[in-house]
């Protein structure tokens, strides 16, 4: 049983609950896997083995007493360094925050603990969690276990690399512009960005977030199976009064027709041939599973949503963000902000209320779209996963990256859920597709995702490969 780290969260939870294996055995296997492969990846940047084993021992003791435990009892889960975990620094990839030690857990971490999860370690993120590439001056660079020449994604690049390499059965990530969905795509795993208000958020260690992150950022799980994402969502979405945006929406919505819209090139996005092939294959898999799939050319505004999203994410408070990035001196963060300077300079005192007003119109148009098509199948990115640091290779490369990520940036403006399903490999480069649905209809994304997953996915977990 020394390869327990290979099993899914669902499998591990069942084995532990029925006491066929102990949580301690699972934790020992997870720690051994971490020690074996993390030096080659730098996915986990801090972990405390004695605490991991103590958590697992607590699960075993509770089971021996006959206590009812949560759905993730004994399952090893990593958390991202931009959320509060008691006793650990909430660094967000910054030297400036290496002493911001959390006194309390964030709501999502508390929910994981109450669900029985064993917190295995803290995963890396780019400075300020700005980029689709994961490196910073504090923790260093994270590599993609499938190909170190490729980005592991960002900002939850450590989470994606960890799950793909078998460091934990589940990983916590956050997503304001693809930061769960893109690492899943790049590392060849699955990742769910839930709706606004689904998973509670709050970091007591940090200043209150601006209105853009409040409306658009979400915590979500990365995993090696869609079933594990569903299990993680159940646990992570429990109520917490610290988040005023949390909504007590049911995890299972009303029955709707199994109808999917397929859009290969949303708003003129130049989707690469490999991406188009993956989408067409996913559509075939859905049809084989009894879904009706209709290819369409026109969606509600998505390019406009990207521009509004960038105003709220980067434009609002730009001067303060730029000053903080200069103090940190991180090349990636400085490049990310410098590329949006022109957008920020166009904004004035009326821009924020005008953006929020227009956002309401776009939310309405997308909600009406989902009345006709309950699920939308579209690209995760216009390109296969990028080579490392492509966004630092000049203005044209920067623009290319931001254009390719259009669907990832735009959907959060409306608070919509998004699911990346990995579907295959091009050589050793992962490829996959994205599903979205109306707000709080993660259940539809997951149901369609399972139908696509059933048609085949890349082998996982994997041993890290060398260049």
């Amino acid at each position: 049983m020394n390869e327990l780290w290979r099993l899914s969260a669902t499998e591990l939870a069942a084995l532990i609950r029925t006491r066929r294996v102990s949580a301690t055995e699972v934790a020992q296997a997870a720690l051994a896997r971490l020690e074996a492969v993390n030096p080659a990846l730098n996915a986990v940047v801090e972990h405390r083995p004695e605490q991991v084993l103590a958590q697992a021992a607590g699960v075993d003791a509770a089971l021996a007493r006959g206590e009812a435990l949560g759905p993730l009892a004994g399952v090893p889960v990593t958390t991202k360094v931009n959320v509060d975990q008691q006793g650990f620094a909430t660094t967000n990839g910054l030297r400036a925050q290496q002493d911001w030690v959390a006194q309390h857990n964030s709501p999502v971490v508390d929910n994981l603990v109450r669900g029985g999860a064993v917190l295995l370690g803290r995963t890396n993120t780019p400075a300020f969690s700005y980029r689709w590439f994961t490196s910073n001056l504090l923790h260093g660079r994270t590599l993609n276990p499938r190909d170190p020449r490729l980005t592991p994604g960002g900002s939850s690049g450590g989470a994606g690399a960890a799950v793909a390499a078998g460091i934990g059965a589940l990983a916590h990530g956050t997503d304001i512009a693809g930061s769960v969905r893109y690492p899943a795509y790049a590392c060849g795993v699955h990742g769910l960005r839930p709706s606004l208000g689904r998973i509670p958020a709050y970091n007591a260690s940090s200043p209150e977030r601006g209105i853009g992150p409040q409306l658009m950022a979400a915590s979500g799980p990365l995993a090696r199976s869609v079933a594990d994402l569903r299990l993680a969502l159940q646990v992570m979405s429990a109520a917490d009064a610290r988040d005023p945006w949390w909504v007590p929406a049911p995890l299972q919505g009303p029955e709707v027709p199994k109808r999917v819209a397929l859009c290969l090139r949303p708003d003129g996005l130049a989707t690469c041939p490999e991406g188009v092939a993956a989408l067409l294959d996913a559509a075939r898999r859905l049809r084989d599973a009894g879904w009706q799939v209709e290819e369409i050319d026109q969606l509600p505004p998505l390019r406009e949503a990207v521009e509004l999203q960038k105003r709220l994410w980067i434009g609002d408070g730009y001067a303060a963000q730029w000053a903080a990035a200069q103090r940190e001196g991180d090349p990636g963060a400085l490049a990310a902000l410098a590329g949006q300077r022109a957008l920020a300079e166009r904004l004035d005192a009326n821009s924020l209320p005008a953006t929020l007003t227009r956002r309401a119109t776009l939310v309405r148009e997308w909600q009406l779209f989902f009345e006709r098509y309950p699920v939308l199948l579209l690209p995760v990115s216009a390109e296969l996963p990028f080579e490392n640091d492509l966004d630092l290779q000049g203005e044209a490369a920067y623009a290319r990256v931001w254009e390719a990520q259009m669907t990832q940036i735009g959907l959060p403006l409306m608070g919509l859920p998004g699911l990346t399903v990995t579907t295959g490999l091009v050589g050793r480069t992962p490829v996959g597709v994205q599903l979205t649905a109306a707000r709080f209809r993660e259940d539809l994304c997951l149901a369609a995702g399972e139908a696509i997953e059933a048609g085949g996915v890349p082998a996982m977990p994997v041993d890290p490969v060398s260049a």
Side-chain angles (χ1 to χ4, degrees), residues 6-191:
R6 291 187 177 277
L7 300 182
S8 69
T10 304
E11 291 168 329
L12 288 173
L15 289 172
I16 294 166
R17 185 170 56 251
T18 55
R19 301 178 69 178
R20 284 177 281 174
V21 299
S22 69
T24 297
E25 289 174 303
V26 171
Q28 289 170 337
L31 287 168
R33 180 62 176 175
L34 188 158
E35 295 295 342
V37 300
N38 194 59
L41 300 174
N42 193 38
V44 173
V45 295
E46 187 174 9
H47 76 293
R48 300 171 187 171
E50 68 286 352
Q51 291 188 13
V52 174
L53 293 172
Q55 293 173 72
V59 171
D60 289 332
L63 282 170
R65 293 190 298 268
E67 297 178 13
L69 297 178
L72 290 178
V75 175
V77 180
T78 58
T79 60
K80 189 175 174 182
V81 291
N82 68 347
V83 296
D84 285 354
Q85 182 176 334
Q86 186 176 17
F88 290 81
T90 307
T91 70
N92 202 18
L94 303 174
R95 294 178 296 185
Q97 292 183 200
Q98 60 187 312
D99 296 322
W100 289 21
V101 177
Q103 303 303 305
H104 307 280
N105 289 332
S106 68
V108 67
V109 175
D110 268 339
N111 284 345
L112 287 168
V113 171
R114 282 192 290 266
V118 170
L119 304 182
L120 179 61
R122 304 278 282 165
T123 56
N124 204 13
T125 189
F128 300 96
S129 296
Y130 277 151
R131 302 169 65 217
W132 295 286
F133 308 82
T134 297
S135 65
N136 58 67
L137 299 177
L138 176 62
H139 302 302
R141 180 180 300 279
T142 296
L143 298 180
N144 189 323
R146 294 190 184 271
D147 187 340
R149 297 170 299 183
L150 301 177
T151 176
S155 62
S156 306
V163 167
I167 304 174
L170 293 169
H172 158 269
T174 60
D175 187 316
I176 195 172
S179 291
V180 165
R181 291 163 289 156
Y182 192 64
Y185 178 74
C187 291
V189 296
H190 309 308

Side-chain angles (χ1 to χ4, degrees), residues 13 35-36 84-85 127 145 187 189 208-209 254 329 337 348 400 434 437 459:
E35 295 295 342
D84 285 354
Q85 182 176 334
C187 291
V189 296
E208 196 75 74
R209 299 177 299 168
L337 290 173
D348 58 27
R400 171 185 157 191
Q434 182 173 194

Side-chain angles (χ1 to χ4, degrees), residues 224-251:
R224 297 187 293 269
S225 75
V226 176
D228 282 3
L229 294 179
R230 181 181 283 105
L231 182 64
L233 180 65
Q234 174 191 345
V235 170
M236 295 167 75
S237 61
D240 194 297
R242 290 173 289 177
D243 185 354
W245 294 101
W246 183 83
V247 175
L251 288 170

Side-chain angles (χ1 to χ4, degrees), residues 133-465:
F133 308 82
T134 297
S135 65
N136 58 67
L137 299 177
L138 176 62
H139 302 302
R141 180 180 300 279
T142 296
L143 298 180
N144 189 323
R146 294 190 184 271
D147 187 340
R149 297 170 299 183
L150 301 177
T151 176
S155 62
S156 306
V163 167
I167 304 174
L170 293 169
H172 158 269
T174 60
D175 187 316
I176 195 172
S179 291
V180 165
R181 291 163 289 156
Y182 192 64
Y185 178 74
C187 291
V189 296
H190 309 308
L192 175 66
R193 174 214 143 80
S195 309
L196 166 66
R198 173 65 81 187
I199 293 178
Y202 173 63
N203 278 342
S205 68
S206 311
E208 196 75 74
R209 299 177 299 168
I211 189 61
Q214 287 188 43
L215 287 173
M216 302 186 301
S219 281
L222 296 90
R224 297 187 293 269
S225 75
V226 176
D228 282 3
L229 294 179
R230 181 181 283 105
L231 182 64
L233 180 65
Q234 174 191 345
V235 170
M236 295 167 75
S237 61
D240 194 297
R242 290 173 289 177
D243 185 354
W245 294 101
W246 183 83
V247 175
L251 288 170
Q252 190 71 28
E255 188 171 335
V256 295
K258 295 175 69 174
R259 184 182 302 125
V260 178
L262 165 64
C263 191
L264 299 174
R265 301 173 183 87
D267 266 3
L269 185 69
T271 309
C272 65
E274 299 89 346
V276 170
L279 288 163
L280 293 173
D281 179 57
R284 177 191 59 77
R285 298 182 192 189
L286 285 165
R287 291 188 181 103
D288 289 347
W291 292 74
Q292 177 188 347
V293 181
E294 179 181 339
E295 185 173 343
I296 63 172
D297 295 323
Q298 294 296 319
L299 294 175
L302 193 55
R303 285 192 180 277
E304 182 184 0
V306 170
E307 292 307 305
L308 298 180
Q309 195 273 4
K310 291 192 293 185
R311 289 186 195 177
L312 293 173
W313 176 28
I314 291 178
D316 186 36
Y318 181 87
Q321 293 182 71
W322 178 253
Q326 285 187 306
R327 289 192 297 272
E328 185 67 20
D330 184 89
L334 289 167
L337 290 173
Q340 302 301 324
R341 185 184 300 278
L343 174 144
E345 290 175 345
R346 292 195 301 269
L347 303 182
D348 58 27
N350 295 319
S351 297
L352 180 59
T355 298
L356 293 172
T357 300
R358 180 60 181 164
R359 174 184 177 272
T361 302
L362 266 61
V363 169
R364 182 179 303 110
E365 291 187 32
W366 277 90
Q367 290 293 93
L368 290 170
F369 172 84
F370 289 122
E371 290 289 301
R372 180 175 182 184
Y373 299 105
V375 176
L376 171 63
L377 173 63
L378 73 169
V380 182
S381 175
E383 300 193 24
L384 293 174
F386 307 124
E387 64 183 77
N388 266 318
D389 289 342
L390 178 61
D391 61 337
L392 304 186
Q393 296 174 22
E395 291 183 9
Y398 179 94
R400 171 185 157 191
V401 167
W402 281 72
E403 167 66 14
Q405 310 297 65
M406 184 180 72
T407 65
Q408 298 169 49
I409 305 168
L411 295 177
L413 178 81
M414 285 73 68
L416 300 175
L419 169 65
T420 289
V421 181
T422 188
T423 57
L425 298 173
V426 179
R428 61 184 188 185
T429 300
V431 68
V433 299
Q434 182 173 194
L435 295 158
T436 187
R439 195 169 159 206
F440 301 120
R441 293 314 306 262
E442 294 88 356
D443 58 327
L444 298 178
C445 294
L446 293 168
E450 284 181 320
I452 295 170
E453 178 187 41
V457 296
M460 53 181 135
V462 298
D463 291 328
V465 300

